[in-house]
């Protein structure tokens, strides 16, 4: 483009006049590399300090989802200083078959997941990313449940379910979630609920907790009840 060619010629003149960027100082960088920061800001080896538009560089930097805020300082004759406020990786968000890294405000930081992010908590479902911060903060108050949870699933954009590491599903209510988590913690502490042969715990109704047995446990219970009936019948015939 003609504009880019003219800008390069202008920068070349400024550089030859002593306004070449000879050093770059980047503060606040944690997740991004120096090259990624400069590329995001549109700063390259041909850029001159004299004609660098600091406001435009700042706007380009803030377009990078990792960067919450930035300041750009031109320190003549040749130093460029960039101060960053980076977003932190908070959780993984799964929606359909896509897995992304999100910040605590729900911003998608990366549309893919590298190994360094695999230990982040997982939230699943439409709009789960914008509700994750409040729910995961609540879950953290119950470390025994938090420790055995594999994923938090946002159901119908209204309520949460937990999928535990052993495959157990915990269906939480839409309201009074903390009360349900406290009850769940008590049930596991007193009755070892998470270790039982069950597949689901339904806490959506405020007055009762419903437990769904596994197929094997259900058949065993059915057999036990049948044997009890036969025993009672024999006792009555005696």
């Amino acid at each position: 483009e003609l504009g880019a060619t003219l800008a390069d010629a202008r920068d070349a003149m400024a550089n030859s006049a002593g306004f070449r960027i000879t050093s770059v100082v980047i503060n606040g960088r944690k997740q991004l590399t120096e090259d990624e920061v400069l590329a995001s800001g549109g700063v390259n080896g041909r850029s001159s300090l004299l004609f660098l538009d600091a406001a435009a560089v700042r706007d380009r930097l803030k377009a990078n989802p990792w960067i919450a805020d930035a300041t750009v300082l031109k320190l003549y004759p040749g130093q460029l200083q960039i101060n960053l406020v980076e977003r932190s990786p908070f959780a993984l968000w799964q929606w359909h078959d896509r897995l992304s890294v999100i910040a605590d405000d729900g911003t998608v930081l990366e549309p893919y997941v590298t190994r360094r992010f695999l230990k982040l908590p997982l939230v699943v479902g439409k709009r789960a990313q914008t509700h994750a911060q409040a729910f995961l903060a609540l879950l953290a108050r119950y470390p025994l449940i938090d420790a055995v949870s594999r994923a938090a699933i946002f159901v119908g954009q209204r309520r949460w379910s937990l999928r535990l590491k052993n495959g157990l599903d915990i269906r939480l209510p839409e309201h009074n979630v903390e009360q349900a988590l406290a009850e769940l913690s008590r049930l596991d502490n007193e009755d070892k609920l998470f270790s039982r042969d069950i597949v689901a715990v339904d806490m959506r109704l405020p007055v009762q907790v419903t437990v769904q047995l596994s197929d094997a446990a259900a058949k065993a219970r059915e057999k036990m009840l049948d044997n009890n009936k036969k025993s009672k019948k024999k006792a009555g015939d005696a």
Side-chain angles (χ1 to χ4, degrees):
E1 286 184 8
L2 180 61
T5 303
L6 289 174
D8 282 347
R10 182 189 63 185
D11 282 333
M13 289 176 60
N15 286 338
S16 64
F19 294 104
R20 180 180 300 280
I21 297 174
T22 54
S23 70
V24 177
V25 177
I26 301 175
N27 299 314
R29 181 180 63 79
K30 296 175 183 175
Q31 300 293 336
L32 297 170
T33 66
E34 182 172 316
D35 286 344
E36 286 171 334
V37 173
L38 294 177
S40 292
V43 180
N44 57 48
R46 300 186 304 275
S47 302
S48 73
L49 198 67
L50 184 62
F51 292 114
L52 189 76
D53 186 336
V57 172
R58 178 175 183 266
D59 288 343
R60 286 194 288 266
L61 286 170
K62 289 183 67 178
N64 185 314
W66 279 103
I67 299 173
D69 202 2
T71 57
V72 179
L73 300 174
K74 295 162 58 170
L75 304 175
Y76 290 104
Q79 187 181 92
L80 177 66
Q81 183 175 312
I82 298 173
N83 302 314
L84 300 177
V85 178
E86 277 192 5
R87 291 185 174 92
S88 298
F90 175 70
L92 303 180
W93 172 44
Q94 181 182 330
W95 173 227
H96 293 312
D97 59 351
R98 182 177 298 173
L99 193 63
S100 308
V101 182
I102 60 171
D104 59 5
D105 63 357
T107 300
V108 174
L109 300 174
E110 290 190 7
Y112 54 87
V113 177
T114 57
R115 291 188 65 85
R116 63 190 171 129
F117 298 126
L118 289 180
K119 290 186 178 180
L120 291 173
L122 173 64
V123 296
V124 180
K126 186 176 182 180
R127 295 191 66 198
Q129 82 281 18
T130 58
H131 291 76
Q133 183 180 22
F135 178 73
L136 292 180
L138 191 60
L139 186 62
R141 297 179 195 170
Y142 299 89
L144 293 178
I145 302 174
D146 195 10
V148 297
S149 294
R150 187 166 73 88
I153 303 162
F154 200 41
V155 182
Q157 301 181 58
R158 292 184 302 105
R159 65 169 194 84
W160 290 93
S161 282
L162 289 173
R163 174 70 55 83
L164 303 192
K165 292 175 182 176
N166 64 2
L168 178 61
D169 277 321
I170 309 290
R171 296 160 192 163
L172 295 169
E174 184 175 352
H175 305 291
N176 299 319
V177 180
E178 185 163 14
Q179 183 179 328
L181 289 171
E183 175 68 3
L184 190 63
S185 187
R186 183 189 68 78
L187 287 170
D188 185 57
N189 191 44
E190 294 178 5
D191 302 325
K192 303 296 181 223
L193 183 69
F194 299 158
S195 305
R196 294 194 170 193
D197 196 4
I198 56 179
V199 294
V201 178
D202 194 338
M203 308 188 77
R204 289 175 293 179
L205 293 177
V207 293
Q208 69 183 52
V209 176
T210 304
V211 174
Q212 182 184 338
L213 300 172
S214 68
D215 287 344
K219 286 174 183 175
R221 177 177 169 78
E222 194 176 311
K223 186 176 181 180
M224 181 188 72
L225 292 173
D226 193 42
N227 288 339
N228 286 345
K229 285 179 184 177
K230 288 177 182 177
S231 297
K232 287 179 181 177
K233 188 174 181 181
K234 284 181 182 178
D237 291 343

